[in-house]
Amino acid sequence: LVLTQTPLSSPATLGQPASISCTSSQSLVHSDGKTYLSWLHQRPGQPPRLLIYNISNRFSGVPDRFSGSGAGTDFTLKISRVEAEDVGVYYCMQTSRFPLTFGGGTKVEIK
Amino acid sequence: QVHLLQSGPEVKKPGASLKISCKSFGYNFTNFAINWVRQAPGQGLEWLGWINTHNGNTNYEHKVMGRITVTTDTSASTAYLELRSLRSDDTATYYCTRDGLQLVDDALDIWGQGTMVIVSS
């Protein structure tokens, strides 16, 4: 099960929106009806941290400028207004089935 | 406070074995599964394996099957990753991470600080 992220790199403008896509080679809908697609953010030199789970649920403490959407095989992470602390690499990840897999990552940097 | 604390950096020679520990704090260790993920320098994230900390069931990535063993010591609230027959391409930062189960629909909600492993002759 391959997750493909686009773009690989996203030069962002402070205060402007940014968007990252994640496409799965197979449907991520589990037999229980849920879709176990999450988004992680990793700053340089730090471990990843969870942003979004189950497509669109923000993890505790995540600002509401982050939102997730999608269904089936196509998913999107949006940042409504990019802030300086949002730089780093974003990964989508599926935990619907083993082996767990990650997207290749999208690097967000400020223009 | 809920967190995972990993053991320190390692330097190993090719062919050697590695064992990294991951101690949990702030929650009931056997209520949540643990995954191991690694990241080669400048690269993305790669899932390696999973353990059900309640019953010890495991699942491993095919690429490392046969070289990897994930175990737990529930009395110490600690998970371990053992990787054998190390190669230079095992050089990476290794992370343990908690499966948050019903709290976050099986997303990986808590991450250790990472353990840097260098495999070099």
Side-chain angles (χ1 to χ4, degrees):
Chain A
L1 199 162
V2 177
L3 299 179
T4 303
Q5 285 183 235
T6 55
L8 263 59
S9 177
S10 177
T13 301
L14 290 174
Q16 293 300 305
S19 179
I20 300 168
S21 293
C22 175
T23 300
S24 175
S25 60
Q26 302 172 34
S27 172
L28 296 183
V29 180
H30 193 271
S31 56
D32 65 7
K34 291 186 176 181
T35 302
Y36 296 93
L37 185 284
S38 54
W39 291 92
L40 306 166
H41 176 216
Q42 185 178 33
R43 297 188 178 107
Q46 294 187 14
R49 67 180 184 116
L50 179 63
L51 286 178
I52 301 281
Y53 63 94
N54 194 1
I55 302 177
S56 59
N57 295 277
R58 276 188 302 276
F59 185 50
S60 174
V62 174
D64 61 5
R65 64 178 181 275
F66 290 93
S67 64
S69 62
T73 60
D74 294 291
F75 307 93
T76 302
L77 174 70
K78 291 182 179 177
I79 309 173
S80 60
R81 297 171 305 280
V82 173
E83 297 190 6
E85 65 181 16
D86 300 338
V87 298
V89 182
Y90 291 80
Y91 296 94
C92 59
M93 177 185 188
Q94 68 82 20
T95 51
S96 284
R97 65 200 69 164
F98 290 118
L100 308 188
T101 49
F102 296 90
T106 295
K107 186 174 185 178
V108 172
E109 48 198 1
I110 305 300
K111 285 182 187 174
Chain B
Q1 184 185 4
V2 175
H3 66 280
L4 298 171
L5 184 64
Q6 298 181 222
S7 49
E10 304 258 14
V11 179
K12 295 289 185 180
K13 293 193 182 303
S17 294
L18 168 74
K19 191 167 186 177
I20 303 171
S21 67
C22 168
K23 185 173 174 62
S24 73
F25 295 88
Y27 72 94
N28 188 330
F29 178 70
T30 56
N31 283 357
F32 296 87
I34 290 287
N35 289 269
W36 287 92
V37 172
R38 72 180 177 184
Q39 186 172 38
Q43 302 300 309
L45 301 169
E46 178 184 26
W47 177 79
L48 296 176
W50 165 95
I51 186 164
N52 179 322
T53 55
H54 181 68
N55 61 21
N57 287 347
T58 55
N59 198 298
Y60 300 131
E61 213 280 338
H62 296 298
K63 184 179 171 184
V64 292
M65 193 93 68
R67 296 198 297 132
I68 186 174
T69 303
V70 176
T71 57
T72 61
D73 178 349
T74 56
S75 67
S77 300
T78 300
Y80 299 92
L81 167 70
E82 182 179 8
L83 193 60
R84 300 174 292 278
S85 302
L86 289 169
R87 310 186 293 239
S88 58
D89 63 356
D90 292 317
T91 293
T93 297
Y94 288 74
Y95 296 102
C96 61
T97 171
R98 188 181 83 165
D99 179 335
L101 297 179
Q102 68 274 14
L103 296 181
V104 288
D105 284 332
D106 284 328
L108 305 186
D109 63 345
I110 306 296
W111 290 70
Q113 83 277 21
T115 297
M116 186 177 296
V117 174
I118 296 173
V119 181
S120 175
S121 54

